[in-house]
Amino acid sequence: MVAYRKAHLEQLESEAIHVLREVAAQFERPVLLFSGGKDSIVVVHLARKAFWPGRIPFPLLHIDTGHNFPEALEYRDWLATHLGVDLLVRTVQDSIDRGRAVEETGPTASRNALQTVTLLDAIRELKADAAIGGARRDEEKARAKERFFSHRDAFGQWDPKGQRPELWSLYNGRHGQGEHFRVFPLSNWTEMDVWQYIAAERLELPSLYFSHRRPVFERDGMLLAETPFIQLQPGERPKERVVRFRTVGDATCTGAIESPAATVDEIIHEIAALRITERGGRSDDRRSEAAMEDRKRQGYF
Amino acid sequence: MTHSNLALDMRRQEEPANGERASYAYRDMDLLRFTTAGSVDDGKSTLIGRLLYDTKSIFEDQIEAIHVASKRRGDHTFDLALLTDGLRAEREQKITIDVAYRYFATPRRKFIIADTPGHIQYTRNMVTGASTADLAIVLVDARHGVLTQSKRHGFIAALLGIPHVLVAVNKMDLVDWSEEVYRGIVEEYSAFAQKLDIQNLVFIPISALKGDNVVDRSEKMPWYEGGTLLHQLETVNVGADRNLLDFRFPVQYVIRPHQDFRGFAGRVVSGTIRPGEEVVALPSGIPSRVREVATYDGPLEEAAAGDAVVITLEDEIDISRGDMIVRKNNVPTVDARFEAMLCWMGDTPMDRSIPYVIMQTTRTTKGIVGRLVYRIDVDTLHREDAETLALNEIGRVEITTAQPLFFDPYRANRSTGSFVVVDPFTHVTVAAGMIRGTVQTAERLRPELRAGRPVSPNVVRPAAGVPRAEREARNGHQAAVVWLTGLSGSGKSTIAHEVERRLFEVGCQTAVLDGDELRHGLCGDLAFSAADRHENIRRVGEVARLLFERGAIVICPLVSPFRDDRDRARTLLPGGRFIEVHVQCDIDECRRRDPKGLYARADRGEIPEFTGVASPYEPPESPELVLDTQALSQEQAVENILEYLRSQGIIAG
């Protein structure tokens, strides 16, 4: 019977594939939220497996803050072309231009929170009834209680106290008019699982994830990349260092770490020894103790 | 077609030239899902915080965040519980209000914790957390002893079919590390747990706050010789309860990229399948053969429970989502009426006039709860008459569905035996159900149900004459049925007769119902077809029950290859009195022993449908005892049975 034992990655993969197929079967117009980050890359790869030899039966949707690292965009376009899937892009700039959102000002301005407006508008415009994301429960405390199939009301809001119970592998995606679901196939994965899977499946990632030289400066104990999107404050002097990113989000709030890890295996070794969570490098979570929960309630990813 | 021919393949990294890859070090870990339940002050969050902290699964920024949060609250100690109490509402009330999932890993295993709140209004969360767990940790506060809440957690773990229950007696530091206090709790909880169907029950004295016996051994409790909590979690046998016999493949999604390919996507929820094997599709019943078990990574020689695959068949059959592919000779029950245990999770009580939506495997249909047989008081386990089920109440019901479901009893198959009930108007999940079987079976076994009177399945009509209790009192031991099942040649009869001899010598009332012996007389009219085997076991079960009611310890060595038959015999007796012993031995070893020359004859075709040769043997899913006769001496095997009887209080210690 030993041969039938399933290693943890196989179990996680099978679970995620099951969830993705449920989405295709239960919803009419799902979209896969794609950021160019490693988690959404893994979700796309799993979707590829779930519907093979058919194509992924839903489009990718990228909510573009306009503050991206160019490496992430290049990767995004390459992937969509190679998989032959539709890639839809909706921009925060467009939401601002149409008066749907107002740009933050000041040196710590970020468009991260504005993404919520663009995302909810896109969901309404596309009449999407499910939006698949790469979020994991281990990322942040509020996410620990997230369901695989997470209900959003007609205003896109999450009600953490009124969540549907989710039992066995029975996922209830039934919903009323205008409501939608966020679906998280990687719910049970940890950062380490994702990296192990990337290694095992030999997936290629945007170069940002690997060690490189780049001018960065320190703010609130974080290393931020020098980009045209960030206004430097007095005393902040970018200096070239050897860094890599653990997440690839909006360039204004994604912190780098100093690291010589240049391959997936080196990264795995490094994570095994690391003492800071990957979201610990994100200033958006640091705004208050319940930052993530507040954003999620309003319809954030 | 393999994926390498596909132009659409994802860009992959080059294979590294030198073989050494760090990722391989983690590839071989397995996965344990467990649930934790405890009351508000049992220290559950502290225990989880401790497990995470001591296994170094907590990062510096999280620790820092807790220091900040603790200080803001005016609390200057480091509160481990803050690590897990995620939502703002809970932080304010200082209680956990919803199922939260936590992750940690040791070099041996990855763990997923479903952390569920313990107070009464959240039974539904406990059921939710338990539904995917292989193990449950029940927390008991050493100062308060066994409270009804701890019992409720045990009951729910048993109800949801969790094979391993670990009772952590916490806050030992506050009772001066007293062995006596600990022993008292062990005794009380064991007595209670006897009424439940728990395969493996383990106790550990701990202090989550101080860390004793959680990850590191305690120096304060030298009297405790068992392993630490983490050691248990790392070594408990997972997957042993997986059903690898009954192939069930609920079709999830049909993949049809072009005219020449029609694949059925889904997960093998139990059993195994290979290309070339005969299958039938339900509900049509149309047979075919498996052409290929396809995956993105190439075709499989065999798929087993848990694998997400695409199956293609030799014939064009109309199959869609909600259908099920099974083996021709091993089909689930197909029925639109069944009995189930139902846990109500909706805010509005169950309404028997509403057709609810029933979701089971990949099937969705409407269903009406026709009858509430009884409601169970989760604190006392008493069955009571009731009109409906309200939030957090559990009861036994009969459900009639618009379309038939394909199911197995939950006890035998957690995937095909489970379902959820969805409100047709709000779309909210309002109940979780565990199927017991068809209504017809239940009625046939217990005709008194027809009168509509709720009756315990375990209570047999009282026999006229001297009641069993009086006989037991005079005998000085309890009555029981010890059922030894296993392949021919595994050693059942030898062990049975030796156990009887030992019991007889200490003055017990005993009887052995030997399969061979009975087949010469009582069952002389029966052959070895499946139907005759069912009848054979039915008769033996009934005779065992009669002798049991006369106060005897009845020992039944019978091949009894079918699980359903043994389970039926089990239902004739009160809980805890039917002791299923799996006498385990490789078929090759049995064949080598072949004490009666039966295998030789079966191989020559002289005995048709011989178990293990031409007829299947279904090992017990959760026997009370497993005796591996290749590893154990006959004497040890006998001693294990006697020890079990002692531990259950059936015979004196």
Side-chain angles (χ1 to χ4, degrees), chain A residues 28-206:
Chain A
E28 280 174 40
R29 279 177 303 276
V31 293
L32 195 162
L33 299 175
F34 184 76
S35 66
K38 65 179 191 318
D39 299 317
S40 60
I41 290 168
V42 166
V43 175
V44 170
H45 183 63
L46 289 164
R48 186 86 193 87
K49 287 195 168 193
F51 302 104
W52 183 90
R55 291 192 178 182
I56 299 175
F58 33 74
L60 309 187
L61 171 63
H62 181 221
I63 301 302
D64 185 349
T65 62
H67 292 172
N68 297 292
F69 292 103
E71 294 91 333
L73 293 183
E74 183 207 330
Y75 183 95
R76 176 195 77 184
D77 295 340
W78 168 82
L79 186 74
T81 315
H82 277 72
L83 292 184
V85 290
D86 288 336
L87 169 69
L88 308 172
V89 180
R90 295 295 178 268
T91 64
V92 171
Q93 188 61 50
D94 188 47
S95 301
I96 293 170
D97 294 346
R98 287 188 294 119
R100 299 277 304 149
V102 178
E103 184 111 60
E104 291 184 13
T105 53
T108 60
S110 166
R111 286 182 167 182
N112 200 50
L114 304 186
Q115 289 182 89
T116 304
V117 174
T118 313
L119 172 63
L120 292 179
D121 283 354
I123 284 172
R124 214 164 297 134
E125 173 210 334
L126 302 168
K127 296 194 171 63
D129 49 359
I132 303 162
R136 312 185 316 264
R137 288 173 180 152
D138 84 316
E139 284 179 66
E140 213 279 335
K141 279 196 284 189
R143 285 195 163 153
K145 310 202 168 182
E146 193 51 280
R147 307 294 193 250
F148 276 87
F149 273 35
S150 184
H151 181 258
R152 295 292 185 275
D153 66 18
F155 301 97
Q157 298 182 102
W158 181 55
D159 174 12
K161 278 184 121 173
Q163 296 200 81
R164 296 179 182 184
E166 198 161 75
L167 297 108
W168 298 291
S169 3
L170 296 171
Y171 301 105
N172 173 8
R174 302 176 73 88
H175 58 278
Q177 269 292 323
E179 298 172 352
H180 75 277
F181 273 80
R182 299 293 170 82
V183 178
F184 305 109
L186 305 186
S187 287
N188 280 331
W189 298 48
T190 59
E191 184 187 15
M192 182 60 110
D193 296 329
V194 169
W195 281 110
Q196 284 171 26
Y197 190 73
I198 288 167
E201 297 289 309
R202 305 201 304 279
L203 300 181
E204 196 154 297
L205 298 180

